Amino acid sequence: MATAARHRLYEDALAMLLGAMLVSLGVALYGKATLVTGGVAGLALLLEAAGGPAFSVGFFLANLPFYWLALQRMGRAYTLRTFIAVALVSGLSWATPRLIRIEAVDPVYAAIAGGSLMGIGMLVLFRHRTGLGGVNVLAAWLQERHGLRAGWLQLGIDIVILAAAALVLPLDRVALSLLGAVALNLNLAINHRPGRYLGVT
């Protein structure tokens, strides 16, 4: 039986940059439309919408406690790649609104396109054994160890987080955020299946 080809260092580096760019662009659409997503990113967006720190700061800081789990369960190489990816998303999320100016965006489009961009970006990262911390670390580990679909698991957790958003955002934005979460996680559930793509370190 053929073994999976080993990713080269430059391939992992390019994948991390591309994945982070896609995620940060999705975050920019969400921020403009005042939407939230699930996981640590959703908490960071929610804090920003409630008048807390900018997403770039909140996302980076909120991920710090999860590196221990990543180190214990996924190894040093995965943890290092995840730390780099989180730092890239934080930095690019700060830079994106300064590099492209989004004057207005339809919230339905923002939900679907933004959620899809984030899902595709995460898929690129997952395929190079890289996560975005938080729930992604848990979802990636459970898929590797127990064959659970990362997308479906994350969708369930995201629904709980989005329910909390109803305390801060109007209900129409919460509903659209749920639509975006479905778009994000469908991309993962359909394309990131155990055995479909095996990238090794």
Side-chain angles (χ1 to χ4, degrees), residues 39 42 96 123 152 165:
T96 297
L123 177 63
W152 295 126

Side-chain angles (χ1 to χ4, degrees), residues 3 8 11 37 43 71 74 93 108 119 124 141 144 148 163 177 183:
T3 58
R8 294 176 177 147
E11 292 174 328
T37 185
L43 292 177
L71 185 61
M74 307 297 286
S93 295
V108 176
V124 171
W141 177 73
E144 283 204 359
L148 300 176
S177 296

Side-chain angles (χ1 to χ4, degrees), residues 9-10 13 15 23 39 42-43 49-50 64 74 81 85 89 126 128 133 136 143 147 150 152-153 179 190:
L9 181 60
Y10 77 88
V23 171
L43 292 177
L64 293 178
M74 307 297 286
R81 286 193 296 266
V89 169
F126 278 9
H128 287 259
N136 294 333
Q143 172 155 301
W152 295 126
L153 174 66
L179 174 63
I190 292 170

